[in-house]
Amino acid sequence: MNTIVGMGAPSLPPEPLEHHCSSASTYQTRNRGDTQYSGLMRTAYVDESEPGGGLDHTVYVLAAVVITSEESESARAAIRDATPRRMRKLHWYEALPAQRISWLDLLRRAVEVVVVRYDGAAARVERRRRHCLERLVWELERRAVDRLVLESRGKAGDDGDRSMLDALRRRGVGRSIRHEHIRGADEPLTALADLACGAHMAGYDRAVDATVILVN
């Protein structure tokens, strides 16, 4: 697990300071330095979490799970197999503790798990989300992600994301990444991002080799 501490992504972001918690940089070992995934399309599936059920206005979490085109179909099948019949879709907070632990194995199918956490002054939810999304897009572009899939939050929420992503492109951030919103019920792979959020909140970042970025 790596922890990176910084502000949001500035117009021309400097290389962030990295604090390595256990091993060499995930970015170096699983991305640019790893020819196993070269030439494969990379898609980042993104979901959010608001600790405290939305009552804590000082924290917000966005998690992205990067999956290659080669791995996507088998990952979807594994998620469907792991989803209990009582659930419309696999969801961390509806699960029993033993189920959550077993689901961590699903995240090992990812090329990368990136968690951006806002810890700062109290702010409205969309402001906290923009801080996280800004840094997340920059981090994903560094990792050669081609496509960004965000779980839909309804028209107003999705329009806000698109406005932010367009503003970032005008600043030169995320121009190489295509983005779209999809209902979680229509794309099983969005469940992986939900698991990454839940794993982060439960303290399992090291278990899933997540890179955690703190912004304020």
Side-chain angles (χ1 to χ4, degrees), residues 144-163:
V145 167
D146 305 283
R147 179 171 166 250
L148 177 65
V149 176
L150 302 105
E151 183 165 357
S152 176
R153 298 181 299 141
K155 185 179 187 305
D158 295 353
D159 286 348
D161 286 344
R162 281 189 284 268
S163 177

Side-chain angles (χ1 to χ4, degrees), residues 26-38 42 111:
T26 302
Y27 171 54
Q28 293 175 343
T29 59
R30 294 206 298 185
N31 288 277
R32 287 186 178 175
D34 193 336
T35 58
Q36 177 183 357
Y37 301 108
S38 60
R42 294 181 179 198
V111 178

Side-chain angles (χ1 to χ4, degrees), residues 128-189:
R128 284 175 279 145
R129 182 180 178 88
R130 287 196 297 270
H131 272 280
C132 292
L133 187 58
E134 178 183 30
R135 184 56 179 265
L136 181 63
V137 170
W138 182 64
E139 293 288 341
L140 294 177
E141 192 165 44
R142 293 177 69 221
R143 289 160 171 79
V145 167
D146 305 283
R147 179 171 166 250
L148 177 65
V149 176
L150 302 105
E151 183 165 357
S152 176
R153 298 181 299 141
K155 185 179 187 305
D158 295 353
D159 286 348
D161 286 344
R162 281 189 284 268
S163 177
M164 179 63 184
L165 292 166
D166 287 345
L168 289 176
R169 283 181 170 178
R170 289 193 294 271
R171 289 167 47 191
V173 178
R175 288 180 177 173
S176 63
I177 302 176
R178 295 183 292 111
H179 59 82
E180 61 185 292
H181 291 84
I182 294 179
R183 291 195 316 146
D186 295 335
E187 174 51 89
L189 291 175

Side-chain angles (χ1 to χ4, degrees), residues 68-126:
T68 66
S69 53
E70 183 179 63
E71 186 68 24
S72 59
E73 283 306 317
S74 63
R76 287 188 184 97
I79 293 166
R80 291 188 183 105
D81 289 343
T83 304
R85 290 185 179 180
R86 64 183 176 83
M87 292 187 185
R88 184 171 55 90
K89 63 173 185 174
L90 190 148
H91 194 264
W92 178 272
Y93 289 106
E94 295 177 22
L96 300 172
Q99 289 175 318
R100 293 173 179 174
I101 297 299
S102 68
W103 290 349
L104 295 179
D105 283 339
L106 294 171
L107 291 173
R108 296 192 174 96
R109 294 175 174 272
V111 178
E112 182 97 29
V113 177
V114 181
V115 177
V116 180
R117 179 184 177 117
Y118 174 91
D119 265 315
R124 297 172 72 173
V125 61
E126 290 302 319

